mmCIF file with all atom_site columns, all heavy atoms in Angstrom:
data_model
loop_
_atom_site.group_PDB
_atom_site.id
_atom_site.type_symbol
_atom_site.label_atom_id
_atom_site.label_alt_id
_atom_site.label_comp_id
_atom_site.label_asym_id
_atom_site.label_entity_id
_atom_site.label_seq_id
_atom_site.pdbx_PDB_ins_code
_atom_site.Cartn_x
_atom_site.Cartn_y
_atom_site.Cartn_z
_atom_site.occupancy
_atom_site.B_iso_or_equiv
_atom_site.pdbx_formal_charge
_atom_site.auth_seq_id
_atom_site.auth_comp_id
_atom_site.auth_asym_id
_atom_site.auth_atom_id
_atom_site.pdbx_PDB_model_num
ATOM 1  N N   . ASN A 1 55 ? 72.227 38.587 21.479 1.00 52.00 ? 1150 ASN A N   1
ATOM 2  C CA  . ASN A 1 55 ? 73.412 38.028 22.105 1.00 52.00 ? 1150 ASN A CA  1
ATOM 3  C C   . ASN A 1 55 ? 73.412 36.506 22.035 1.00 52.00 ? 1150 ASN A C   1
ATOM 4  O O   . ASN A 1 55 ? 74.027 35.843 22.820 1.00 52.00 ? 1150 ASN A O   1
ATOM 5  C CB  . ASN A 1 55 ? 73.637 38.537 23.543 1.00 52.00 ? 1150 ASN A CB  1
ATOM 6  C CG  . ASN A 1 55 ? 72.385 39.068 24.156 1.00 52.00 ? 1150 ASN A CG  1
ATOM 7  O OD1 . ASN A 1 55 ? 71.309 38.911 23.568 1.00 52.00 ? 1150 ASN A OD1 1
ATOM 8  N ND2 . ASN A 1 55 ? 72.463 39.700 25.301 1.00 52.00 ? 1150 ASN A ND2 1
ATOM 9  N N   . ARG A 1 56 ? 72.713 35.969 21.056 1.00 51.00 ? 1151 ARG A N   1
ATOM 10 C CA  . ARG A 1 56 ? 72.886 34.545 20.724 1.00 51.00 ? 1151 ARG A CA  1
ATOM 11 C C   . ARG A 1 56 ? 73.784 34.502 19.503 1.00 51.00 ? 1151 ARG A C   1
ATOM 12 O O   . ARG A 1 56 ? 73.606 35.281 18.582 1.00 51.00 ? 1151 ARG A O   1
ATOM 13 C CB  . ARG A 1 56 ? 71.553 33.894 20.314 1.00 51.00 ? 1151 ARG A CB  1
ATOM 14 C CG  . ARG A 1 56 ? 70.539 33.802 21.400 1.00 51.00 ? 1151 ARG A CG  1
ATOM 15 C CD  . ARG A 1 56 ? 70.984 33.011 22.591 1.00 51.00 ? 1151 ARG A CD  1
ATOM 16 N NE  . ARG A 1 56 ? 71.520 31.704 22.278 1.00 51.00 ? 1151 ARG A NE  1
ATOM 17 C CZ  . ARG A 1 56 ? 71.966 30.872 23.209 1.00 51.00 ? 1151 ARG A CZ  1
ATOM 18 N NH1 . ARG A 1 56 ? 71.933 31.221 24.466 1.00 51.00 ? 1151 ARG A NH1 1
ATOM 19 N NH2 . ARG A 1 56 ? 72.438 29.711 22.872 1.00 51.00 ? 1151 ARG A NH2 1
ATOM 20 N N   . PRO A 1 57 ? 74.742 33.551 19.461 1.00 50.00 ? 1152 PRO A N   1
ATOM 21 C CA  . PRO A 1 57 ? 75.515 33.409 18.238 1.00 50.00 ? 1152 PRO A CA  1
ATOM 22 C C   . PRO A 1 57 ? 74.618 32.982 17.069 1.00 50.00 ? 1152 PRO A C   1
ATOM 23 O O   . PRO A 1 57 ? 73.511 32.512 17.277 1.00 50.00 ? 1152 PRO A O   1
ATOM 24 C CB  . PRO A 1 57 ? 76.501 32.293 18.553 1.00 50.00 ? 1152 PRO A CB  1
ATOM 25 C CG  . PRO A 1 57 ? 76.305 31.913 19.956 1.00 50.00 ? 1152 PRO A CG  1
ATOM 26 C CD  . PRO A 1 57 ? 75.118 32.625 20.505 1.00 50.00 ? 1152 PRO A CD  1
ATOM 27 N N   . GLN A 1 58 ? 75.129 33.154 15.874 1.00 48.00 ? 1153 GLN A N   1
ATOM 28 C CA  . GLN A 1 58 ? 74.497 32.620 14.653 1.00 48.00 ? 1153 GLN A CA  1
ATOM 29 C C   . GLN A 1 58 ? 73.084 33.103 14.416 1.00 48.00 ? 1153 GLN A C   1
ATOM 30 O O   . GLN A 1 58 ? 72.208 32.323 14.101 1.00 48.00 ? 1153 GLN A O   1
ATOM 31 C CB  . GLN A 1 58 ? 74.426 31.100 14.770 1.00 48.00 ? 1153 GLN A CB  1
ATOM 32 C CG  . GLN A 1 58 ? 75.337 30.405 13.807 1.00 48.00 ? 1153 GLN A CG  1
ATOM 33 C CD  . GLN A 1 58 ? 75.242 28.918 14.043 1.00 48.00 ? 1153 GLN A CD  1
ATOM 34 O OE1 . GLN A 1 58 ? 75.870 28.419 14.932 1.00 48.00 ? 1153 GLN A OE1 1
ATOM 35 N NE2 . GLN A 1 58 ? 74.487 28.199 13.249 1.00 48.00 ? 1153 GLN A NE2 1
ATOM 36 N N   . THR A 1 59 ? 72.842 34.404 14.584 1.00 48.00 ? 1154 THR A N   1
ATOM 37 C CA  . THR A 1 59 ? 71.486 34.871 14.331 1.00 48.00 ? 1154 THR A CA  1
ATOM 38 C C   . THR A 1 59 ? 71.337 35.426 12.917 1.00 48.00 ? 1154 THR A C   1
ATOM 39 O O   . THR A 1 59 ? 70.246 35.499 12.401 1.00 48.00 ? 1154 THR A O   1
ATOM 40 C CB  . THR A 1 59 ? 71.071 35.961 15.324 1.00 48.00 ? 1154 THR A CB  1
ATOM 41 O OG1 . THR A 1 59 ? 72.171 36.830 15.514 1.00 48.00 ? 1154 THR A OG1 1
ATOM 42 C CG2 . THR A 1 59 ? 70.655 35.373 16.641 1.00 48.00 ? 1154 THR A CG2 1
ATOM 43 N N   . THR A 1 60 ? 72.453 35.867 12.312 1.00 48.00 ? 1155 THR A N   1
ATOM 44 C CA  . THR A 1 60 ? 72.326 36.432 10.966 1.00 48.00 ? 1155 THR A CA  1
ATOM 45 C C   . THR A 1 60 ? 72.323 35.298 9.952  1.00 48.00 ? 1155 THR A C   1
ATOM 46 O O   . THR A 1 60 ? 73.274 34.556 9.857  1.00 48.00 ? 1155 THR A O   1
ATOM 47 C CB  . THR A 1 60 ? 73.506 37.366 10.650 1.00 48.00 ? 1155 THR A CB  1
ATOM 48 O OG1 . THR A 1 60 ? 73.589 38.307 11.701 1.00 48.00 ? 1155 THR A OG1 1
ATOM 49 C CG2 . THR A 1 60 ? 73.282 38.098 9.351  1.00 48.00 ? 1155 THR A CG2 1
ATOM 50 N N   . ARG A 1 61 ? 71.248 35.187 9.195  1.00 48.00 ? 1156 ARG A N   1
ATOM 51 C CA  . ARG A 1 61 ? 71.174 34.081 8.246  1.00 48.00 ? 1156 ARG A CA  1
ATOM 52 C C   . ARG A 1 61 ? 71.128 34.592 6.816  1.00 48.00 ? 1156 ARG A C   1
ATOM 53 O O   . ARG A 1 61 ? 71.369 33.866 5.894  1.00 48.00 ? 1156 ARG A O   1
ATOM 54 C CB  . ARG A 1 61 ? 69.899 33.285 8.511  1.00 48.00 ? 1156 ARG A CB  1
ATOM 55 C CG  . ARG A 1 61 ? 69.997 32.549 9.826  1.00 48.00 ? 1156 ARG A CG  1
ATOM 56 C CD  . ARG A 1 61 ? 69.388 31.184 9.683  1.00 48.00 ? 1156 ARG A CD  1
ATOM 57 N NE  . ARG A 1 61 ? 69.728 30.391 10.836 1.00 48.00 ? 1156 ARG A NE  1
ATOM 58 C CZ  . ARG A 1 61 ? 68.861 29.946 11.709 1.00 48.00 ? 1156 ARG A CZ  1
ATOM 59 N NH1 . ARG A 1 61 ? 67.589 30.244 11.571 1.00 48.00 ? 1156 ARG A NH1 1
ATOM 60 N NH2 . ARG A 1 61 ? 69.236 29.213 12.702 1.00 48.00 ? 1156 ARG A NH2 1
ATOM 61 N N   . HIS A 1 62 ? 70.758 35.865 6.648  1.00 49.00 ? 1157 HIS A N   1
ATOM 62 C CA  . HIS A 1 62 ? 70.689 36.426 5.298  1.00 49.00 ? 1157 HIS A CA  1
ATOM 63 C C   . HIS A 1 62 ? 71.831 37.400 5.127  1.00 49.00 ? 1157 HIS A C   1
ATOM 64 O O   . HIS A 1 62 ? 72.280 38.005 6.069  1.00 49.00 ? 1157 HIS A O   1
ATOM 65 C CB  . HIS A 1 62 ? 69.369 37.178 5.110  1.00 49.00 ? 1157 HIS A CB  1
ATOM 66 C CG  . HIS A 1 62 ? 68.180 36.279 5.132  1.00 49.00 ? 1157 HIS A CG  1
ATOM 67 N ND1 . HIS A 1 62 ? 67.775 35.555 4.050  1.00 49.00 ? 1157 HIS A ND1 1
ATOM 68 C CD2 . HIS A 1 62 ? 67.331 35.957 6.132  1.00 49.00 ? 1157 HIS A CD2 1
ATOM 69 C CE1 . HIS A 1 62 ? 66.718 34.836 4.378  1.00 49.00 ? 1157 HIS A CE1 1
ATOM 70 N NE2 . HIS A 1 62 ? 66.434 35.062 5.642  1.00 49.00 ? 1157 HIS A NE2 1
ATOM 71 N N   . THR A 1 63 ? 72.296 37.573 3.885  1.00 59.00 ? 1158 THR A N   1
ATOM 72 C CA  . THR A 1 63 ? 73.311 38.563 3.625  1.00 59.00 ? 1158 THR A CA  1
ATOM 73 C C   . THR A 1 63 ? 72.622 39.913 3.589  1.00 59.00 ? 1158 THR A C   1
ATOM 74 O O   . THR A 1 63 ? 71.989 40.264 2.613  1.00 59.00 ? 1158 THR A O   1
ATOM 75 C CB  . THR A 1 63 ? 73.999 38.252 2.280  1.00 59.00 ? 1158 THR A CB  1
ATOM 76 O OG1 . THR A 1 63 ? 74.498 36.929 2.350  1.00 59.00 ? 1158 THR A OG1 1
ATOM 77 C CG2 . THR A 1 63 ? 75.118 39.200 2.024  1.00 59.00 ? 1158 THR A CG2 1
#
Side-chain angles (χ1 to χ4, degrees):
N1150 21 9
R1151 294 300 309 180
Q1153 249 177 279
T1154 41
T1155 307
R1156 291 220 168 115
H1157 293 279
T1158 304

